[in-house]
Amino acid sequence: MLKAFWQARWYVLLGLLTFSVVLLLTTPLHFVWRYLQPQLPPLPMSIEQVSGTIWQGRAQIQMPAELPLGTLAVHWTLHPSSLLRGKMQADIRAEANDFRMTLALMAGLDQRVSIVSAQGYLGTEVLKPTLSAGQASLDGYFELQQMQASLDLSALQILDVQGRIVFSGGDVGFLIDGKPITAELPLLIGQLQQSSSTMSNLLMSTDAGQPVGEVYWQQNGWGGVKMRRRFLDILGQPWPAQADADTIIFEASHKIL
């Protein structure tokens, strides 16, 4: 009997491993969360109403005031078969008022995460408190389309990114020298790209392909924005100096991380 058991030891170990994985993935998440939550460091958000399983679960996340999304409903599905390749594949869906996002992720033991695909929607109602504080307003919505990215979590670096962000167009209001200005923005397209090993960019243009500005962020934690005179032309605002439409008339940078 012992000889037969020894010959079948790998099948026994495989069976025990399979049983352990199945048990882990099917254990009610609220039971696991009860023991896991006290071990976590303080989080900037409140996680509530955890339910389902690790394999397929959902939770309500109360976002901090700095991110005016309110309560975020998150649903996820893990794919156990990806463990055979030493990775974890997950599909995630998040929804809140005027916000939704779907993600397909792949993470490895090397702390590298691939965003296989990402789609999203953000209505400008979410931005109203922030814009109102600066006496500005904006109507319309943003869409994230066909985004893919590779991230190194150990170094907090973006290795590659592509996709685009589309602004629907809409009315905009702001102050210049204390005078209220209103205008209508057209459809704008932002193209995400990795311009170098240390810099990612969002290149903004009109639907006719005319560049209006750029947002960039670097691996050293700095980010910035550049605007061309064409953006003022769209707003119907003059520029006192002589410059063509492609001239960069404004540039600012700030330490983000």
Side-chain angles (χ1 to χ4, degrees):
M1 179 180 292
L2 290 176
K3 182 178 180 181
F5 178 81
W6 181 253
Q7 290 176 340
R9 65 190 184 279
W10 298 118
Y11 297 101
V12 174
L13 289 174
L14 179 60
L16 289 174
L17 177 61
T18 302
F19 174 78
S20 300
V21 171
V22 171
L23 181 64
L24 175 64
L25 294 178
T26 57
T27 299
L29 192 56
H30 68 87
F31 178 81
V32 178
W33 182 247
R34 185 189 311 167
Y35 295 95
L36 178 62
Q37 187 177 21
Q39 311 303 321
L40 297 176
L43 300 175
M45 73 282 289
S46 174
I47 302 177
E48 306 165 350
Q49 299 184 31
V50 177
S51 59
T53 64
I54 294 177
W55 171 51
Q56 195 169 46
R58 52 192 175 274
Q60 300 282 341
I61 301 178
Q62 189 66 39
M63 302 300 290
E66 295 80 9
L67 297 173
L69 292 176
T71 301
L72 193 65
V74 180
H75 304 254
W76 68 87
T77 299
L78 304 181
H79 299 269
S81 59
S82 61
L83 293 173
L84 299 175
R85 292 173 285 159
K87 296 181 180 294
M88 175 55 75
Q89 183 179 349
D91 296 326
I92 301 172
R93 185 175 78 255
E95 297 178 341
N97 290 334
D98 283 319
F99 172 82
R100 61 179 178 269
M101 174 80 74
T102 58
L103 293 167
L105 303 177
M106 184 76 76
L109 298 176
D110 56 0
Q111 298 191 54
R112 292 197 175 187
V113 175
S114 295
I115 300 177
V116 181
S117 66
Q119 312 285 336
Y121 171 92
L122 177 69
T124 52
E125 280 293 316
V126 175
L127 306 176
K128 182 174 288 188
T130 303
L131 293 173
S132 296
Q135 295 184 286
S137 62
L138 179 64
D139 293 331
Y141 60 87
F142 298 87
E143 284 190 358
L144 176 65
Q145 301 176 348
Q146 303 172 345
M147 178 185 171
Q148 296 179 323
S150 296
L151 313 173
D152 185 344
L153 298 183
S154 61
L156 294 178
Q157 290 185 346
I158 300 173
L159 305 178
D160 187 34
V161 63
Q162 55 185 299
R164 68 178 193 169
I165 298 175
V166 177
F167 173 62
S168 64
D171 295 333
V172 61
F174 51 93
L175 296 179
I176 294 183
D177 296 330
K179 179 183 177 182
I181 302 296
T182 59
E184 183 177 355
L185 286 174
L187 177 78
L188 296 176
I189 299 172
Q191 196 71 37
L192 287 163
Q193 66 175 38
Q194 191 76 13
S195 59
S196 71
S197 60
T198 60
M199 182 180 292
S200 306
N201 302 74
L202 175 65
L203 304 178
M204 298 176 290
S205 63
T206 66
D207 58 349
Q210 298 174 313
V212 296
E214 174 186 347
V215 179
Y216 64 89
W217 53 98
Q218 299 172 310
Q219 308 291 16
N220 60 7
W222 281 83
V225 60
K226 302 176 183 179
M227 299 305 299
R228 301 180 186 271
R229 202 210 72 187
R230 181 175 288 108
F231 188 67
L232 287 184
D233 295 342
I234 292 173
L235 295 175
Q237 298 301 308
W239 179 249
Q242 185 175 4
D244 61 34
D246 284 316
T247 300
I248 295 174
I249 60 171
F250 173 81
E251 181 173 1
S253 60
H254 193 272
K255 184 75 171 177
I256 300 174
L257 298 175

